[in-house]
Amino acid sequence: MSNKLSDSWQVSCRGFDAESLKKSILNNLEYRLGKGMKRATEYDKYLSVAYSVIERMLEKWILTQDKHGEVKPKRVYYLSMEFLMGRTLGNGLINLGLYDQCQQALQEMGLDLEELREIEVDAALGNGGLGRLAACFLDSLATLGLPAFGYGIRYDYGLFHQKIIDGRQVEIPDRWLTLTNPWEIARPEYQYPVRFGGYIEHQIERNGTRKSVWHDSEEVYAIAYDTPTPGYDTNSVNTLRLWSAKSSEDFNLQDFNSGDYFAAVNKKVTSENITKVLYPDDSSKSGRELRLRQEYFLVSATMQDIVFRFKREHGTQWKLFSSKAAIQLNDTHPALAIPELMRILVDDEDLKWERAWNICTDTFGYTNHTLLPEALETWSVDIMESLLPRHMEIIYLINHNFMKEVMRYYPGQIDRMRRMSIINEEGLKSVRMAHLAVAGSHKVNGVAALHSQLMTDTIFSDFAAMSPGKFTNMTNGVTPRRWLRKANLGLSSLITDAIGNEWVKDLTKLRDLENVVNDAQFRQQWREVKHNCKLPLIDLIQHDTGIILSPFTMFDVQVKRMHEYKRQLLFALFIIAEYLRLKEDPNAIVTPRTCIIAGKAAPAYHMAKLIILLINRIADTINNDIDTRDFLRLAFVPNYRVSAAEKIIPAANLSEQISTAGKEASGTGNMKFALNGAITMGTLDGANVEILGEVGKDNIFIFGHTAPELMTMRREGYDPQTYIEESEILQRVLHLIDCDFFSPGEPGLFRPILDSIRHHDEYFVMADFMKYLKAQDDAGTAYRDVEKWTTMSILNVARSGVFSSDRTINEYATEIWDVKPVLISSENECNKNCPWSCG
Ligand code: 26W
């Protein structure tokens, strides 16, 4: 497989050949780490390779930033509280076209690239879908040559590590920065004061204009840490700028001298706590003040930095602002950016309110990622007023003007105004962050066609009625670099041998696989690749859980955050039904299945944690049952994260995407599985609907009630008992749990789960059970038809092209951001005979 990339972009006085790499690695070990190979730790060796890669990134980064400084293009600013980047070394080597050369260099030094890649810790600065989407978007923005910055928080502690002890989740802090992070560069020259608290004084200037002055606020500094985000097969390298909190005052000497040591450091410590840890909830608002401080910390540092860069390039030509900056809000978490920009433009830059507001609405775009009521952020007016007094004033004024507009459209419709108001007057007065984001943006998008439709039919129906043109859909995507080219080297080379390597930059090229779908040799190699992907995963699972699995089984996989709407419970109940079937009829025609589940539960989400325990207890029971264990095994893989996903997804045959219809906004794991040749077992929810549209009904297993059907059932009253009474197998499955078969000696351990599905069953597990059982039976039968399954697998990959995040970003770029690529040519200042060309 020639992954020789176009050499037009080999702009470097750091060679891209194995020899140069070897030199760099040894140089870095010696001159940067002060170690010889003999005493070097494994981490030292990893670091020296990492530094050799980033050196070759930095040159392009400088080229790119200098070019942007020269061209002063319109930039995209992607604001997110989460960036789930995972590991960087492998991705850096792939995007810079250095992978094979590095492997060779290390081999010649007696080292193994695969082993060194395993040493890197994941940058787990995110919870799940939203954070990983942001990471995929950065890869596509750079690969498409679009000038962009990602702005986030440099948490000292990322998402907790999950240990499973006696079947239960235990959270361990993620001390990811204990060892050196070679991929970031501290930028203390970019630091901004962020203020909290205090009070506002309104002054009337001599010229009669009103001036708001923010007094007596406490201050903390935001320090920038930059991570280069290299594109694939291009010179363009964008920036991920993460802010870290630093106390404005070092050491309060008075307190110290007065012997109050604690007070002396307390202020410093508390203020720096802001960026201490990522909130581990991925679908229910914490409502904690520290979370609000984190959100404002991000947006204030970011907006000051964006305005600083604008003024550096365009002075105070504010009319240019929205044509030079497109700011995307990754959900409502950074929505305070709207009142913050208003504060800067009105209070600091003396713009008139209207002018400032028009700049805001022309600049901001808002993406909604969930319809779950508990995930829609609201902050009490009290907490907002005490922490951000000026912003609360500005939000009131924004709402005042917005209500006037609603009144103009719908005179006298008080109810509608109350529904649309940014301020919820009912009960404890609170700020509806989603309403603020919609009012302050020129475009609002959902993340899959069904979700965007449901969004305008439900939570934003009033807004969509008033400003239909504001609402649109941007179906999610995933980067094919990490999720196929890097995660599945075997399948990548098979594909490239068959259709060339253009697919890595243009995923629609995968369609060409349809020309070889009937080629017997190709099909045999296809099956071998999938089989071989299972082997390292089997080793990992045996290492982490002690469970031994067989590659000669169907790998049936569900990996995502634990949540009742994602219905890991439905998968578990199916496994019990399958177990009962095997117990009762040992000669039953079954497809030997390996069920793999993985996912973290938010620490305070007790039902999700109980479901993890149930899954582990089911596994203990069935994996040790000699009657069944050769036909059915279950493993819960601990500590699911990006680097684990890269091992699990390529090994999967069946991809479980079984959420309650209408609840999963899009899903992106579903796309990664299809891209790696797994067949989707799914409901008509989120992007599953579009995967069906692309792969065709013969190449997917769809089951379950649709979103409209469930809406009707909810409205007309849904009684799960009716479904239980209709299904003998369901009764027996529930009975097995009820009689503590999976919790011997802990009677009633899983009662809460049974009560929740027998009485309320909010997520319609009972209503969809029998339909699911049937679909699973069909999948088992299809898997036994090896040729049929091979065709389905190849066609899923061939028809996954649209689920590239490159397609998604191109849609954002044309429909929302109006930004154009900037070509970073290879005319570099560095000429070969520069004294430093130390190869
Ligand atoms: C305030 C707590 C909180 C934190 C994160 C609430 C909600 C979130 C996220 C919006 C949850 C999330 O990750 N949503 C997922 O976003 C993905 C990317 O668009 C979608 O593919 C998933 O369907 C959606 O659940």
Side-chain angles (χ1 to χ4, degrees):
M1 164 172 93
S2 65
N3 44 11
K4 182 100 191 56
L5 298 173
S6 57
D7 54 15
S8 65
W9 56 290
Q10 296 259 0
V11 292
S12 160
C13 47
R14 290 271 187 287
F16 277 60
D17 56 293
E19 212 37 50
S20 312
L21 271 170
K22 217 155 69 178
K23 267 209 212 99
S24 293
I25 294 168
L26 289 171
N27 281 340
N28 281 310
L29 195 60
E30 196 158 339
Y31 300 117
R32 206 191 272 250
L33 302 171
K35 290 275 186 81
M37 199 51 93
K38 272 202 268 336
R39 283 186 324 101
T41 64
E42 289 309 297
Y43 200 77
D44 290 333
K45 294 168 189 167
Y46 153 71
L47 276 179
S48 56
V49 176
Y51 285 131
S52 308
V53 173
I54 200 167
E55 283 163 6
R56 287 156 176 79
M57 245 183 237
L58 295 181
E59 288 160 352
K60 296 170 193 299
W61 198 16
I62 296 163
L63 272 181
T64 305
Q65 300 310 315
D66 290 356
K67 184 76 174 185
H68 293 171
E70 188 194 306
V71 174
K72 301 181 176 49
K74 181 171 188 178
R75 295 178 177 88
V76 174
Y77 295 114
Y78 200 80
L79 275 54
S80 181
M81 285 289 281
E82 305 184 18
F83 285 94
L84 196 44
M85 303 297 280
R87 290 170 171 164
T88 299
L89 177 57
N91 184 248
L93 290 169
I94 295 277
N95 281 16
L96 285 145
L98 281 170
Y99 199 92
D100 300 346
Q101 300 93 306
C102 186
Q103 197 159 40
Q104 185 197 336
L106 289 169
Q107 243 147 30
E108 290 166 9
M109 300 157 79
L111 298 172
D112 174 44
L113 178 55
E114 294 309 310
E115 274 173 31
L116 285 181
R117 285 175 55 196
E118 284 303 313
I119 292 168
E120 182 178 358
V121 292
D122 279 43
L125 306 183
N127 278 285
L130 172 141
R132 182 57 234 178
L133 186 82
C136 284
F137 279 8
L138 292 180
D139 183 79
S140 288
L141 281 161
T143 300
L144 295 168
L146 295 169
F149 277 76
Y151 277 107
I153 289 183
R154 181 181 182 266
Y155 301 102
D156 297 338
Y157 292 85
L159 187 61
F160 63 86
H161 291 233
Q162 176 195 55
K163 261 194 177 341
I164 299 296
I165 298 172
D166 186 23
R168 297 170 195 280
Q169 169 179 300
V170 174
E171 299 88 21
I172 313 288
D174 172 37
R175 313 162 62 76
W176 77 292
L177 290 169
T178 311
L179 296 169
T180 312
N181 168 14
W183 307 106
E184 66 177 6
I185 295 189
R187 294 277 196 231
E189 68 270 29
Y190 294 105
Q191 62 177 273
Y192 300 92
V194 178
R195 305 157 65 188
F196 297 100
Y199 65 92
I200 311 302
E201 181 211 3
H202 296 286
Q203 302 164 341
I204 307 297
E205 306 267 280
R206 265 186 299 295
N207 61 4
T209 53
R210 293 160 53 82
K211 190 105 185 113
S212 306
V213 183
W214 191 354
H215 291 291
D216 198 17
S217 58
E218 60 175 278
E219 219 169 57
V220 58
Y221 271 84
I223 313 285
Y225 286 77
D226 287 357
T227 299
T229 61
Y232 174 84
D233 188 13
T234 170
N235 287 329
S236 79
V237 177
N238 284 328
T239 305
L240 171 58
R241 180 159 286 176
L242 301 178
W243 301 104
S244 183
K246 192 169 171 325
S247 165
S248 55
E249 55 185 88
D250 227 339
F251 204 60
N252 187 310
L253 222 49
Q254 283 78 27
D255 291 339
F256 184 82
N257 297 341
S258 63
D260 183 349
Y261 301 120
F262 180 75
V265 291
N266 179 37
K267 213 147 184 308
K268 177 175 172 53
V269 172
T270 43
S271 59
E272 288 173 4
N273 271 345
I274 291 178
T275 55
K276 192 61 72 190
V277 63
L278 165 77
Y279 269 83
D281 319 292
D282 84 323
S283 59
S284 65
K285 53 183 174 286
S286 68
R288 298 281 175 69
E289 182 186 317
L290 180 57
R291 170 74 180 191
L292 181 58
R293 280 176 183 270
Q294 289 185 338
E295 293 184 355
Y296 180 63
F297 179 81
L298 165 62
V299 302
S300 181
T302 300
M303 297 317 293
Q304 292 182 67
D305 195 44
I306 292 173
V307 169
F308 172 82
R309 182 174 303 105
F310 177 80
K311 290 174 80 174
R312 187 184 61 208
E313 295 183 346
H314 309 285
T316 57
Q317 303 176 76
W318 298 111
K319 66 182 172 309
L320 290 178
F321 192 86
S322 60
S323 66
K324 291 297 180 183
I327 302 176
Q328 194 67 26
L329 304 175
N330 200 16
D331 217 282
T332 59
H333 313 154
L336 282 170
I338 295 164
E340 174 67 359
L341 182 56
M342 286 302 287
R343 181 188 70 79
I344 293 170
L345 295 178
V346 173
D347 296 358
D348 299 353
E349 304 295 338
D350 299 325
L351 266 69
K352 286 267 166 300
W353 177 274
E354 290 66 31
R355 188 154 176 239
W357 183 245
N358 293 336
I359 290 173
C360 272
T361 50
D362 290 347
T363 301
F364 284 107
Y366 155 51
T367 302
N368 172 279
H369 295 268
T370 181
L371 301 178
L372 296 181
E374 67 268 28
L376 299 176
E377 287 190 301
T378 60
W379 293 102
S380 74
V381 166
D382 297 348
I383 206 175
M384 194 70 87
E385 217 145 42
S386 69
L387 208 60
L388 301 167
R390 179 57 180 146
H391 297 77
M392 195 58 239
E393 285 181 355
I394 291 170
I395 293 170
Y396 272 132
L397 197 41
I398 291 172
N399 194 46
H400 173 75
N401 296 334
F402 182 57
M403 288 294 103
K404 273 196 313 189
E405 206 187 338
V406 174
M407 176 92 83
R408 214 160 39 75
Y409 272 76
Y410 307 97
Q413 298 194 20
I414 307 304
D415 258 0
R416 184 186 292 267
M417 290 172 70
R418 191 175 296 115
R419 284 198 312 266
M420 296 178 76
S421 174
I422 295 170
I423 311 296
N424 181 4
E425 309 283 351
E426 265 115 59
L428 180 68
K429 270 175 77 171
S430 63
V431 181
R432 296 164 166 154
M433 298 310 279
H435 292 199
L436 173 63
V438 173
S441 299
H442 69 281
K443 279 287 181 188
V444 176
N445 73 282
V447 290
L450 174 65
H451 166 66
S452 299
Q453 187 57 52
L454 291 172
M455 187 180 77
T456 49
D457 293 348
T458 59
I459 58 171
F460 297 148
S461 54
D462 292 321
F463 297 89
M466 184 172 156
S467 342
K470 183 182 275 193
F471 291 86
T472 185
N473 173 56
M474 297 283 143
T475 295
N476 282 163
V478 299
T479 171
R481 273 70 68 181
R482 181 176 293 269
W483 296 108
L484 183 51
R485 179 64 186 81
K486 175 189 173 225
N488 201 335
L489 296 174
L491 195 58
S492 297
S493 50
L494 179 58
I495 292 170
T496 296
D497 292 349
I499 63 170
N501 70 355
E502 284 306 294
W503 60 270
V504 184
K505 283 181 86 168
D506 173 3
L507 208 56
T508 61
K509 284 278 186 297
L510 289 177
R511 277 278 173 182
D512 298 348
L513 288 172
E514 303 212 22
N515 307 333
V516 292
V517 68
N518 298 318
D519 174 291
Q521 193 216 357
F522 177 79
R523 295 166 63 82
Q524 182 49 37
Q525 290 172 309
W526 190 272
R527 287 189 286 268
E528 279 159 21
V529 163
K530 181 59 78 174
H531 181 88
N532 295 337
C533 285
K534 293 178 178 178
L535 306 177
L537 178 59
I538 288 172
D539 295 345
L540 176 143
I541 292 177
Q542 180 167 1
H543 176 270
D544 289 2
T545 69
I547 299 169
I548 297 165
L549 303 173
S550 155
F552 303 102
T553 61
M554 175 162 77
F555 274 35
D556 186 356
V557 179
Q558 185 176 27
V559 289
K560 51 190 72 221
R561 285 296 296 257
M562 297 298 294
H563 198 290
E564 288 164 278
Y565 86 78
K566 294 174 184 283
R567 300 204 292 190
Q568 284 90 354
L569 181 58
L570 180 57
F571 190 19
L573 297 182
F574 156 72
I575 294 168
I576 298 173
E578 193 72 351
Y579 171 69
L580 282 173
R581 197 155 74 98
L582 286 166
K583 288 295 281 186
E584 265 119 39
D585 175 2
N587 310 322
I589 307 298
V590 295
T591 299
R593 233 180 246 255
T594 292
C595 301
I596 295 170
I597 303 178
K600 292 172 179 175
Y605 192 175
H606 300 300
M607 185 60 88
K609 293 173 99 168
L610 192 56
I611 291 169
I612 291 177
L613 179 58
L614 173 62
I615 291 165
N616 281 306
R617 290 296 163 79
I618 295 170
D620 294 347
T621 308
I622 69 173
N623 295 344
N624 300 300
D625 186 319
I626 46 168
D627 299 341
T628 62
R629 64 181 184 191
D630 293 341
F631 300 99
L632 182 64
R633 294 215 179 167
L634 168 60
F636 186 91
V637 183
N639 206 24
Y640 181 62
R641 58 203 189 287
V642 171
S643 59
E646 291 176 33
K647 291 191 181 71
I648 296 171
I649 291 172
N653 299 112
L654 196 61
S655 153
E656 298 286 341
Q657 309 298 333
I658 60 176
S659 53
T660 309
K663 294 295 182 186
E664 189 69 86
S666 163
T668 45
N670 46 9
M671 299 164 183
K672 296 161 188 169
F673 278 103
L675 195 53
N676 281 274
I679 316 305
T680 301
M681 167 62 73
T683 51
L684 287 175
D685 195 20
N688 295 356
V689 175
E690 287 151 85
I691 292 175
L692 165 62
E694 290 298 320
V695 304
K697 63 176 181 35
D698 302 337
N699 301 299
I700 189 169
F701 300 99
I702 294 292
F703 75 96
H705 291 83
T706 63
E709 287 168 345
L710 295 176
M711 293 246 228
T712 314
M713 289 161 75
R714 252 186 225 102
R715 223 185 6 262
E716 288 160 6
Y718 159 62
D719 175 9
Q721 278 305 334
T722 49
Y723 289 86
I724 297 172
E725 275 135 30
E726 273 168 17
S727 161
E728 192 262 337
I729 179 67
L730 181 49
Q731 287 161 27
R732 297 182 39 239
V733 166
L734 298 180
H735 173 69
L736 214 52
I737 300 173
D738 220 352
C739 67
D740 300 311
F741 183 77
F742 300 109
S743 50
E746 298 164 288
L749 179 62
F750 300 118
R751 174 64 34 74
I753 294 175
L754 292 172
D755 293 348
S756 79
I757 48 179
R758 279 190 171 136
H759 303 116
H760 184 43
D761 193 17
E762 182 179 358
Y763 298 103
F764 297 93
V765 175
M766 298 296 101
D768 276 349
F769 182 76
M770 288 311 287
K771 295 173 187 293
Y772 181 50
L773 221 55
K774 170 77 176 60
Q776 280 288 21
D777 201 40
D778 296 347
T781 309
Y783 190 76
R784 291 198 297 278
D785 179 341
V786 175
E787 291 308 327
K788 175 185 169 75
W789 195 270
T790 304
T791 304
M792 293 170 80
S793 176
I794 295 170
L795 293 180
N796 265 271
V797 176
R799 298 170 182 178
S800 288
V802 291
F803 300 113
S804 166
S805 46
D806 298 351
R807 181 268 315 154
T808 312
I809 290 294
N810 269 325
E811 288 180 358
Y812 276 89
T814 45
E815 222 191 294
I816 299 181
W817 302 331
D818 184 24
V819 288
K820 304 269 179 309
V822 172
L823 181 70
I824 311 299
S825 71
S826 46
E827 294 323 306
N828 69 13
E829 300 83 8
C830 172
N831 53 37
K832 277 289 167 265
N833 53 23
C834 73
W836 298 294
S837 66
C838 51

